[in-house]
Tab-separated table of all heavy atoms in Angstrom:
chain	number	residue	atom	x	y	z
A	431	ARG	N	20.861	35.106	-23.981
A	431	ARG	CA	19.906	36.200	-24.155
A	431	ARG	C	18.520	35.571	-24.278
A	431	ARG	O	18.301	34.676	-25.105
A	431	ARG	CB	20.213	37.033	-25.390
A	431	ARG	CG	21.458	37.881	-25.250
A	431	ARG	CD	21.543	38.950	-26.327
A	431	ARG	NE	20.490	39.946	-26.200
A	431	ARG	CZ	20.555	41.004	-25.386
A	431	ARG	NH1	21.615	41.205	-24.620
A	431	ARG	NH2	19.562	41.865	-25.341
A	432	ALA	N	17.616	36.004	-23.450
A	432	ALA	CA	16.281	35.415	-23.431
A	432	ALA	C	15.253	36.503	-23.173
A	432	ALA	O	15.530	37.521	-22.531
A	432	ALA	CB	16.183	34.322	-22.365
A	433	VAL	N	14.041	36.269	-23.684
A	433	VAL	CA	12.938	37.215	-23.533
A	433	VAL	C	12.076	36.800	-22.359
A	433	VAL	O	11.549	35.688	-22.323
A	433	VAL	CB	12.085	37.272	-24.822
A	433	VAL	CG1	10.840	38.128	-24.597
A	433	VAL	CG2	12.909	37.819	-25.973
A	434	LEU	N	11.951	37.697	-21.386
A	434	LEU	CA	11.001	37.512	-20.292
A	434	LEU	C	9.697	38.182	-20.703
A	434	LEU	O	9.625	39.409	-20.816
A	434	LEU	CB	11.538	38.121	-19.002
A	434	LEU	CG	10.590	38.140	-17.795
A	434	LEU	CD1	10.072	36.748	-17.493
A	434	LEU	CD2	11.272	38.728	-16.577
A	435	ASP	N	8.669	37.378	-20.947
A	435	ASP	CA	7.367	37.880	-21.417
A	435	ASP	C	6.379	37.762	-20.267
A	435	ASP	O	5.883	36.689	-19.964
A	435	ASP	CB	6.912	37.068	-22.625
A	435	ASP	CG	5.745	37.714	-23.359
A	435	ASP	OD1	4.992	38.475	-22.716
A	435	ASP	OD2	5.575	37.457	-24.565
A	436	CYS	N	6.101	38.894	-19.623
A	436	CYS	CA	5.271	38.903	-18.419
A	436	CYS	C	3.795	38.924	-18.787
A	436	CYS	O	3.384	39.587	-19.744
A	436	CYS	CB	5.619	40.127	-17.575
A	436	CYS	SG	4.663	40.261	-16.052
A	437	THR	N	2.981	38.225	-18.003
A	437	THR	CA	1.540	38.236	-18.243
A	437	THR	C	0.916	39.578	-17.882
A	437	THR	O	-0.265	39.804	-18.144
A	437	THR	CB	0.846	37.128	-17.422
A	437	THR	OG1	1.247	37.237	-16.050
A	437	THR	CG2	1.220	35.752	-17.955
A	438	GLY	N	1.710	40.489	-17.298
A	438	GLY	CA	1.236	41.840	-17.064
A	438	GLY	C	1.154	42.672	-18.321
A	438	GLY	O	0.653	43.802	-18.287
A	439	GLY	N	1.650	42.127	-19.449
A	439	GLY	CA	1.518	42.826	-20.726
A	439	GLY	C	2.789	43.467	-21.238
A	439	GLY	O	2.744	44.297	-22.150
A	440	TRP	N	3.969	43.067	-20.711
A	440	TRP	CA	5.227	43.626	-21.190
A	440	TRP	C	6.237	42.505	-21.400
A	440	TRP	O	6.096	41.417	-20.883
A	440	TRP	CB	5.790	44.645	-20.196
A	440	TRP	CG	6.067	44.102	-18.825
A	440	TRP	CD1	5.222	44.095	-17.754
A	440	TRP	CD2	7.273	43.456	-18.367
A	440	TRP	NE1	5.812	43.499	-16.672
A	440	TRP	CE2	7.070	43.111	-17.004
A	440	TRP	CE3	8.491	43.153	-18.953
A	440	TRP	CZ2	8.042	42.470	-16.245
A	440	TRP	CZ3	9.460	42.514	-18.210
A	440	TRP	CH2	9.237	42.178	-16.873
A	441	TYR	N	7.278	42.812	-22.189
A	441	TYR	CA	8.369	41.854	-22.353
A	441	TYR	C	9.689	42.613	-22.442
A	441	TYR	O	9.724	43.808	-22.785
A	441	TYR	CB	8.170	40.960	-23.576
A	441	TYR	CG	8.481	41.608	-24.910
A	441	TYR	CD1	9.741	41.492	-25.488
A	441	TYR	CD2	7.505	42.322	-25.600
A	441	TYR	CE1	10.030	42.074	-26.717
A	441	TYR	CE2	7.785	42.901	-26.832
A	441	TYR	CZ	9.043	42.775	-27.387
A	441	TYR	OH	9.316	43.366	-28.597
A	442	SER	N	10.758	41.904	-22.133
A	442	SER	CA	12.087	42.503	-22.191
A	442	SER	C	13.107	41.421	-22.518
A	442	SER	O	13.087	40.346	-21.911
A	442	SER	CB	12.434	43.164	-20.849
A	442	SER	OG	13.731	43.731	-20.881
A	443	GLU	N	13.964	41.710	-23.482
A	443	GLU	CA	15.049	40.787	-23.820
A	443	GLU	C	16.302	41.218	-23.078
A	443	GLU	O	16.752	42.359	-23.204
A	443	GLU	CB	15.306	40.767	-25.329
A	443	GLU	CG	16.368	39.760	-25.738
A	443	GLU	CD	16.556	39.671	-27.240
A	443	GLU	OE1	15.957	40.496	-27.953
A	443	GLU	OE2	17.312	38.790	-27.698
A	444	GLN	N	16.856	40.306	-22.286
A	444	GLN	CA	17.994	40.631	-21.442
A	444	GLN	C	19.050	39.533	-21.513
A	444	GLN	O	18.784	38.416	-21.977
A	444	GLN	CB	17.536	40.797	-19.987
A	444	GLN	CG	16.544	41.914	-19.742
A	444	GLN	CD	17.168	43.285	-19.807
A	444	GLN	OE1	18.397	43.429	-19.722
A	444	GLN	NE2	16.340	44.320	-19.947
A	445	GLU	N	20.231	39.874	-21.032
A	445	GLU	CA	21.326	38.905	-20.944
A	445	GLU	C	21.373	38.341	-19.526
A	445	GLU	O	21.408	39.089	-18.551
A	445	GLU	CB	22.655	39.583	-21.278
A	445	GLU	CG	23.845	38.631	-21.285
A	445	GLU	CD	25.136	39.345	-21.629
A	445	GLU	OE1	25.443	39.450	-22.838
A	445	GLU	OE2	25.823	39.812	-20.687
A	446	TRP	N	21.349	37.025	-19.440
A	446	TRP	CA	21.325	36.338	-18.155
A	446	TRP	C	22.558	35.433	-18.051
A	446	TRP	O	22.969	34.809	-19.029
A	446	TRP	CB	20.071	35.484	-18.013
A	446	TRP	CG	18.784	36.224	-18.223
A	446	TRP	CD1	18.182	36.510	-19.413
A	446	TRP	CD2	17.950	36.773	-17.210
A	446	TRP	NE1	17.027	37.207	-19.209
A	446	TRP	CE2	16.844	37.384	-17.863
A	446	TRP	CE3	18.000	36.813	-15.817
A	446	TRP	CZ2	15.825	38.015	-17.168
A	446	TRP	CZ3	16.988	37.444	-15.121
A	446	TRP	CH2	15.915	38.040	-15.798
A	447	ARG	N	23.133	35.368	-16.863
A	447	ARG	CA	24.292	34.495	-16.644
A	447	ARG	C	24.046	33.618	-15.435
A	447	ARG	O	23.521	34.075	-14.403
A	447	ARG	CB	25.569	35.319	-16.455
A	447	ARG	CG	26.812	34.471	-16.178
A	447	ARG	CD	28.073	35.220	-16.570
A	447	ARG	NE	28.229	36.469	-15.834
A	447	ARG	CZ	28.841	36.587	-14.655
A	447	ARG	NH1	29.333	35.499	-14.061
A	447	ARG	NH2	28.969	37.751	-14.064
A	448	GLY	N	24.439	32.345	-15.564
A	448	GLY	CA	24.257	31.409	-14.466
A	448	GLY	C	24.651	30.008	-14.872
A	448	GLY	O	25.519	29.814	-15.734
A	449	VAL	N	23.982	29.012	-14.297
A	449	VAL	CA	24.317	27.601	-14.500
A	449	VAL	C	23.126	26.886	-15.126
A	449	VAL	O	21.985	27.042	-14.663
A	449	VAL	CB	24.683	26.947	-13.151
A	449	VAL	CG1	24.912	25.443	-13.323
A	449	VAL	CG2	25.917	27.617	-12.557
A	450	ALA	N	23.392	26.107	-16.162
A	450	ALA	CA	22.330	25.316	-16.780
A	450	ALA	C	21.877	24.220	-15.819
A	450	ALA	O	22.696	23.613	-15.119
A	450	ALA	CB	22.814	24.695	-18.084
A	451	VAL	N	20.569	23.995	-15.773
A	451	VAL	CA	20.038	22.943	-14.904
A	451	VAL	C	20.650	21.589	-15.270
A	451	VAL	O	20.877	20.740	-14.400
A	451	VAL	CB	18.496	22.910	-15.005
A	451	VAL	CG1	17.932	21.684	-14.285
A	451	VAL	CG2	17.903	24.183	-14.419
A	452	ALA	N	20.960	21.395	-16.550
A	452	ALA	CA	21.562	20.136	-16.993
A	452	ALA	C	22.928	19.895	-16.357
A	452	ALA	O	23.381	18.744	-16.261
A	452	ALA	CB	21.688	20.130	-18.511
A	453	ASP	N	23.604	20.948	-15.917
A	453	ASP	CA	24.934	20.806	-15.315
A	453	ASP	C	24.888	20.466	-13.826
A	453	ASP	O	25.933	20.376	-13.172
A	453	ASP	CB	25.737	22.097	-15.506
A	453	ASP	CG	26.131	22.312	-16.956
A	453	ASP	OD1	26.146	21.324	-17.720
A	453	ASP	OD2	26.399	23.477	-17.348
A	454	LEU	N	23.705	20.265	-13.270
A	454	LEU	CA	23.585	19.911	-11.855
A	454	LEU	C	23.759	18.416	-11.613
A	454	LEU	O	23.725	17.971	-10.466
A	454	LEU	CB	22.217	20.342	-11.312
A	454	LEU	CG	21.922	21.840	-11.288
A	454	LEU	CD1	20.524	22.098	-10.738
A	454	LEU	CD2	22.964	22.598	-10.478
A	455	ALA	N	23.917	17.633	-12.678
A	455	ALA	CA	24.078	16.180	-12.554
A	455	ALA	C	22.914	15.574	-11.786
A	455	ALA	O	23.082	14.831	-10.812
A	455	ALA	CB	25.404	15.837	-11.882
A	456	LEU	N	21.719	15.861	-12.239
A	456	LEU	CA	20.514	15.359	-11.571
A	456	LEU	C	20.274	13.900	-11.931
A	456	LEU	O	20.640	13.453	-13.019
A	456	LEU	CB	19.305	16.198	-11.999
A	456	LEU	CG	19.354	17.685	-11.653
A	456	LEU	CD1	18.181	18.411	-12.309
A	456	LEU	CD2	19.337	17.882	-10.146
A	457	PRO	N	19.637	13.128	-11.063
A	457	PRO	CA	19.281	11.742	-11.401
A	457	PRO	C	18.187	11.718	-12.465
A	457	PRO	O	17.530	12.728	-12.725
A	457	PRO	CB	18.781	11.178	-10.069
A	457	PRO	CG	18.323	12.371	-9.307
A	457	PRO	CD	19.229	13.499	-9.700
A	458	ALA	N	17.980	10.557	-13.053
A	458	ALA	CA	16.963	10.432	-14.090
A	458	ALA	C	15.574	10.546	-13.482
A	458	ALA	O	15.333	10.144	-12.332
A	458	ALA	CB	17.107	9.088	-14.804
A	459	GLY	N	14.662	11.102	-14.253
A	459	GLY	CA	13.284	11.259	-13.799
A	459	GLY	C	12.436	11.818	-14.910
A	459	GLY	O	12.946	12.272	-15.950
A	460	ALA	N	11.130	11.815	-14.720
A	460	ALA	CA	10.218	12.291	-15.753
A	460	ALA	C	10.209	13.803	-15.847
A	460	ALA	O	10.092	14.376	-16.933
A	460	ALA	CB	8.800	11.786	-15.489
A	461	SER	N	10.336	14.473	-14.685
A	461	SER	CA	10.182	15.919	-14.660
A	461	SER	C	11.118	16.545	-13.642
A	461	SER	O	11.710	15.865	-12.797
A	461	SER	CB	8.735	16.297	-14.310
A	461	SER	OG	7.816	15.653	-15.153
Side-chain angles (χ1 to χ4, degrees):
R431 289 195 66 84
V433 173
L434 174 55
D435 193 335
C436 180
T437 52
W440 59 268
Y441 77 93
S442 179
E443 184 176 7
Q444 298 286 343
E445 183 180 272
W446 305 83
R447 178 156 60 88
V449 175
V451 171
D453 290 339
L454 296 179
L456 299 172
S461 307

